[in-house]
Amino acid sequence: MAEALTPLITASVTFLGTHFALSHPLRAPLVKALGSIGFMALYSVVALASFGWMVVAFRAIGAGGTPMWDGSSNMAWALASVLTLVALTLFLGSLIGNPALPAPDAAAQADKPVHGVFHVTRHPMMWGFALWAAAHILVSPTPRSLVLAGSIAVLALVGAHLQDRKKEALMGAAWAGWQSRTSYWPRWGQLGKAGAALWLVSLGLWLAVTWAHLPLVYAPAGLWRWVG
């Protein structure tokens, strides 16, 4: 199995390494050399190519080896279902007034009162990715899943920490104020402040995505594992 995992591990290290390098030490010189549009084109090509390599390597392994625990239990799937619903809610909420996103009004967004999912964490998108990864490891604890989903979790959580440092440098007092009013680590008790409308939209999309899980990856997910 170790030999079979080598291409996936290599692809995952490439995915993480290029992402961190392009997002931080190489970003400024490349933007200067290529311009913003040219840099984003390069970044997108590298990210898609390395992620595609991961997916191809993941599928080439087949079943993925012996699971580290039984991920097929109803309890595991129920917990994974909750995690993915919360992950989707955090992700969708992160698209609304997020000063971490590259936008001309980022500083103005950071000066606004904390709202929605930002009561939970200032990195809801990243934590959404990490929860998605945790859910998939929980129900499919094979070596290949640990490598692929674990890479996504590392990218999200280490990337969020590095993003704080980058935003401090770029936005100064605006980001410092936003940091002082929000938390890197999730405050799960604040999930209710995401708002009823967001939860309803998230639930509807979650039902659609988990329904599509069966025809796309041949495994029922969410409520559809028990209904239908």
Side-chain angles (χ1 to χ4, degrees), residues 73-167:
S73 68
N74 284 334
M75 181 174 293
W77 275 93
L79 179 55
S81 297
V82 172
L83 289 176
T84 52
L85 176 57
V86 174
L88 184 57
T89 303
L90 290 175
F91 175 80
L92 293 177
S94 76
L95 303 177
I96 305 168
N98 187 353
L101 296 178
D105 64 343
Q109 294 289 351
D111 284 334
K112 291 182 178 179
V114 178
H115 60 281
V117 294
F118 301 99
H119 286 287
V120 181
T121 172
R122 66 176 164 274
H123 296 292
M125 181 181 291
M126 300 301 197
W127 277 99
F129 290 146
L131 291 183
W132 175 93
H136 284 76
I137 290 174
L138 181 63
V139 297
S140 181
T142 60
R144 69 169 189 167
S145 292
L146 290 171
V147 173
L148 187 142
S151 297
I152 292 174
V154 168
L155 175 63
L157 299 184
V158 175
H161 175 73
L162 294 175
Q163 187 179 67
D164 276 341
R165 306 288 78 79
K166 182 171 70 175
K167 289 293 183 178

